[in-house]
Amino acid sequence: MILGCRASVIPDDGSVLHIGAGAFRGCIGLVTVTIPSCIESIGDWAFEGCSKLIEVYELSEHVKVSPGSIFDTTGLGGYAFDIHTDAEATSRLWTDPDGFVFYEDGELAYLLDYAGSSAEVTLPVSCHGKSYEIYGYAFYANRTLTRVVIPTGVVHISESAFERCTALESVTLPSSIEGILSWTFYKCSSLTHVEIPEGVSYIDWGAFSDCKALTDVTIPSTVTLITADAFYNCDALARVTFAKTEGWSITDFWEEMSEIELSAQELADPVTAAEYLRDTYGSCDWERAAEE
């Protein structure tokens, strides 16, 4: 198993003929790999779990994988946007002067990684003038970041983007995103403060799960859905302020899908709201009825 690399070029001198089963398995930091012409086989699940592997130079005549193939047990086609068969093909990866690693293809742009060393960062407003998405696992397990400001140039933050950033204390989110996806801040154990802006409409399953230092959250008026366990194991969560307290109900999956309407008066108390969201009804889906 090979872990921790961002780019991998396997030697093309005949010293390596086979890539064994699971060789790069779980290498979440890997964004590009070159398969040399001497490679004769790739074992099952060799690149399984390489969620940021977006670009592959596949030069071997013995191994051919199509992009996006659900039958690809090597993991190459399952993740890569580009599988080049020409060693001279132009890479769409580039790193800006501050260490942010982007993938750019026409009007599509993704922030894949951060190769810098600053503890406090403000993400770029754009990628060559274009809005961009934060790719899944982009900052996964970064042990340096303590504060992140995400500007309105970011239109989407994928699942697990900041998962296990254990030093992260504060995050400012942009109003340009529609929601906070599953596991976005999972196990960010130092996170004490997050600004959820107006414009966000949902908070997905496990989004802040195991954020054990998180003490207070404000739910803006635009949020209409909070999925089960969004704040699971947030033991320090003492205050939740709902901008709109009326119209909330929960679906209890453990009680034959029963629906319970929540009291607006009780949700107006931040301490009670925190107890409900953290513990009492934490394993339920929360939904706010559309306003007439």
Side-chain angles (χ1 to χ4, degrees):
M1 178 181 286
I2 301 171
L3 296 174
C5 53
R6 287 190 174 91
S8 181
V9 178
I10 299 165
D12 194 12
D13 57 6
S15 60
V16 178
L17 299 178
H18 308 279
I19 299 174
F24 292 85
R25 193 172 195 171
C27 190
I28 290 176
L30 189 64
V31 298
T32 181
V33 65
T34 297
I35 309 296
S37 59
C38 59
I39 292 296
E40 297 179 0
S41 67
I42 301 178
D44 286 348
W45 313 112
F47 293 88
E48 193 269 335
C50 297
S51 301
K52 290 196 291 187
L53 180 55
I54 202 166
E55 190 170 66
V56 174
Y57 288 82
E58 188 193 0
L59 310 179
S60 172
E61 295 181 358
H62 300 283
V63 183
K64 293 299 171 193
V65 180
S66 301
S69 170
I70 62 173
F71 302 106
D72 169 29
T73 59
T74 68
L76 284 170
Y79 302 111
F81 281 19
D82 283 329
I83 296 185
H84 304 294
T85 56
D86 179 2
E88 303 303 319
T90 302
S91 173
R92 295 186 175 100
L93 290 165
W94 68 282
T95 304
D96 80 357
D98 294 319
F100 294 104
V101 181
F102 285 94
Y103 171 89
E104 190 176 6
D105 182 12
E107 292 304 311
L108 298 175
Y110 302 91
L111 175 59
L112 263 71
D113 202 355
Y114 176 58
S117 58
S118 297
E120 299 186 4
V121 299
T122 297
L123 304 191
V125 173
S126 66
C127 173
H128 288 157
K130 297 188 292 287
S131 298
Y132 64 90
E133 300 182 11
I134 298 178
Y135 209 64
Y137 296 93
F139 295 88
Y140 180 86
N142 184 299
R143 302 288 193 260
T144 302
L145 289 175
T146 59
R147 181 174 182 269
V148 175
V149 176
I150 306 173
T152 54
V154 175
V155 295
H156 182 76
I157 303 173
S158 297
E159 293 184 359
S160 299
F162 293 91
E163 181 178 330
R164 299 176 190 269
C165 291
T166 53
L168 187 62
E169 299 174 0
S170 173
V171 175
T172 301
L173 297 170
S175 58
S176 51
I177 61 171
E178 181 181 357
I180 303 173
L181 271 64
S182 297
W183 312 115
T184 299
F185 298 101
Y186 175 57
K187 285 190 179 293
C188 290
S189 54
S190 298
L191 185 64
T192 59
H193 178 70
V194 59
E195 294 182 21
I196 303 175
E198 292 285 329
V200 170
S201 63
Y202 63 89
I203 302 171
D204 218 341
W205 192 73
F208 294 95
S209 179
D210 281 292
C211 291
K212 292 184 177 294
L214 190 62
T215 57
D216 62 279
V217 171
T218 296
I219 308 297
S221 63
T222 50
V223 170
T224 58
L225 177 65
I226 304 173
T227 307
D229 292 331
F231 294 90
Y232 178 74
N233 266 352
C234 292
D235 300 333
L237 186 60
R239 296 177 63 85
V240 174
T241 302
F242 281 87
K244 289 190 175 180
T245 59
E246 297 182 352
W248 283 99
S249 63
I250 61 106
T251 301
D252 191 341
F253 297 99
W254 303 104
E255 295 294 336
E256 299 182 353
M257 302 292 288
S258 62
E259 186 173 291
I260 303 170
E261 293 187 5
L262 298 177
S263 164
Q265 183 176 0
E266 291 178 330
L267 289 184
D269 177 6
V271 175
T272 299
E275 180 184 340
Y276 282 3
L277 191 59
R278 183 189 67 234
D279 295 322
T280 309
Y281 303 116
S283 61
C284 304
D285 281 354
W286 291 50
E287 191 167 4
R288 184 165 59 83
E291 298 178 6
E292 298 180 358

